[in-house]
Amino acid sequence: MALPPRARLTIDLDALARNYHAIAHEAAGAVTAPVLKADGYGLGAGPVARRLWHEGARSFFVARLAEGEALRAALGAHQAEIFVLDGFVAGSGPRHVAAQLTPVLSSLTQVTAAASFAKGEGVVLTCGLQVDTGMNRQGLPVAAANALIQALDGLRGLDLTLVMSHLGSGAEPENPRNRAQLDAFQAVRRLFPEARASLAASAGAFLGPDFRFDMVRPGVSLFGSGPQERPDPRIAAVACLEAPILDIRSVRAGEPIGYGTSIRAAYHTRLAVIGAGYADGVIRAARRAARAWFAGDLRRIYIVDMDMTVIDLGDTPAQPGEMVELLGPHALLDDLAAAAGSIAHECLVRLGSRGDRVYLGAESPDVRN
Ligand SMILES: *Cc1c(COP(=O)(O)O)cnc(C)c1O
């Protein structure tokens, strides 16, 4: 007996490759170093990294030490540079060394812990340094970076390969905060003339040459989100979540749909019940404002439950088993995020929760087997 059809998450590696080159083109002159934290934004860091390596990426970022170890294993013999944004906590030294990971130090405590590990082992530890230029989240305050340089001893045993910072308002090109952070970063980078410099993530990579420095660190735009948190013709959809129609039913105008009575049919219509819900990553808050794609049109979403979503079919002919696109090349990531009052990053990382992942396109396209 055939298994019932289920939700399917497709990850288009060819679209990922196009986005990588679109960003690299935009950031020409700088190295494009993909950020693959949270298992590659929920899409599978291994296949994504191997394809990006094939496209020319040699430096990568993750958040956690364990993500770095997993990425090292996934890249196998490929000698990639892997930065760990969580930095260095006391005791983590052997794991960094074993997996050849580069911690991005973001506090004096971390600098001290890394330096004392290097001294104790008699090794030179390659590190990055994150400086807070005004986002007020992570990184050494600028004054502390200055003090560190004054006390040159603080960096003994550390080979500082990258100095970086992160923009708080990169998605708003006109926001004066970008220029303020840029000015602060330029001053900081002069303190570390030997290190490469990096300021821009996805959004920043599109802000023009001043923001590029030696390296840009895109994450979400690789996976289909426009640099200004809205659909952008330069960026293609990578993740596609589709689910089958389980059932079709009619409702009269004003009848309540699903739990509670606040959501009601706008008119006498037919509904399709789709086999994916918030357990599959469809954000519940996106109902009403989000649209699903079926038979050539965007359709209103009435409700999102744990395993089911209900959309408006109108009089469009449909059969159970036909697939509906809840996210993809038509039901766009940034539109879904806006409808949910969220951002593309959150929508993406939720997708991995249940659906079977299918990869389209090869990890190494010209390697025939
Ligand atoms: C997550 C992150 C990035 C990537 O950000 P996107 O908005 O996904 O491009 C880059 N740098 C740092 C420090 C980050 O935390």
Side-chain angles (χ1 to χ4, degrees):
M1 204 182 91
L3 287 168
R6 357 231 279 259
R8 179 171 67 206
L9 176 61
T10 309
I11 294 129
D12 185 343
L13 296 175
D14 294 333
L16 170 80
R18 290 198 298 280
N19 291 344
Y20 171 79
H21 291 296
I23 297 165
H25 174 78
E26 209 56 51
V31 160
T32 298
V35 179
L36 303 183
K37 54 198 184 191
D39 195 24
Y41 289 53
L43 302 183
V48 162
R50 288 189 292 270
R51 178 59 185 263
L52 290 170
W53 171 276
H54 177 86
E55 301 302 324
R58 294 295 177 266
S59 299
F60 297 86
F61 287 82
V62 294
R64 306 269 185 264
L65 179 56
E67 292 171 3
E69 291 168 327
L71 184 58
R72 175 64 70 210
L75 283 168
H78 298 321
Q79 275 306 309
E81 177 179 43
I82 301 176
F83 290 98
V84 177
L85 291 166
D86 268 359
F88 189 100
V89 294
S92 67
R95 287 172 66 186
H96 276 100
V97 171
Q100 293 172 271
L101 304 175
T102 309
V104 180
L105 311 176
S106 57
S107 68
L108 280 179
T109 309
Q110 290 197 350
V111 172
T112 309
S116 97
F117 168 76
K119 190 171 164 217
E121 299 290 307
V123 295
V124 173
L125 189 69
T126 304
C127 295
L129 182 71
Q130 178 159 202
V131 178
D132 182 2
T133 52
M135 183 171 168
N136 295 316
R137 185 186 68 172
Q138 193 181 30
L140 210 64
V142 173
N146 266 304
L148 192 61
I149 276 300
Q150 301 307 319
L152 270 178
D153 234 31
L155 285 169
R156 182 169 301 164
L158 304 181
D159 171 20
L160 198 67
T161 188
L162 177 74
V163 58
M164 58 171 271
S165 191
H166 196 39
L167 295 172
S169 301
E172 302 160 42
E174 305 306 326
N175 195 317
R177 193 183 183 195
N178 294 324
R179 180 52 62 173
Q181 285 200 258
L182 176 63
D183 291 345
F185 186 64
Q186 273 160 341
V188 165
R189 103 163 285 193
R190 281 196 284 276
L191 299 174
F192 306 94
E194 311 282 301
R196 291 167 291 170
S198 175
L199 179 60
S202 296
F206 290 78
L207 288 179
D210 288 355
F211 288 84
R212 289 176 203 156
F213 295 94
D214 300 307
M215 182 187 280
V216 297
R217 312 182 308 270
V220 76
S221 285
L222 289 168
F223 304 113
S225 174
Q228 292 173 27
E229 296 176 354
R230 54 171 186 261
D232 185 295
R234 292 166 291 188
I235 298 296
V238 170
C240 182
L241 179 67
E242 295 164 294
I245 296 178
L246 303 177
D247 199 6
I248 295 161
R249 53 188 64 240
S250 297
V251 279
R252 290 186 309 276
E255 276 194 89
I257 301 170
Y259 295 113
T261 54
S262 64
I263 296 178
R264 293 169 182 274
Y267 59 108
H268 184 161
T269 186
R270 285 155 63 250
L271 304 175
V273 181
I274 314 301
Y278 55 79
D280 304 279
V282 186
I283 296 188
R284 184 167 179 272
R287 68 192 200 270
R288 299 194 232 208
R291 297 286 179 268
W293 177 261
F294 178 71
D297 264 316
L298 288 167
R299 317 272 167 174
R300 173 177 174 170
I301 294 176
Y302 273 110
I303 60 170
V304 178
D305 288 341
M306 191 179 294
D307 315 296
M308 283 173 276
T309 291
V310 174
I311 67 168
D312 191 1
L313 266 187
D315 52 14
T316 306
Q319 294 294 325
E322 285 187 88
M323 297 299 265
V324 174
E325 177 189 311
L326 291 158
L327 170 74
H330 306 97
L332 296 170
L333 176 60
D334 288 310
D335 290 338
L336 175 68
S342 182
I343 53 173
H345 307 63
E346 186 187 10
C347 296
L348 283 170
V349 295
R350 290 190 179 212
L351 287 174
S353 41
R354 184 196 264 165
D356 304 323
R357 285 180 194 156
V358 180
Y359 290 92
L360 273 187
E363 291 179 6
S364 306
D366 55 4
V367 180
R368 314 233 175 265
N369 43 19

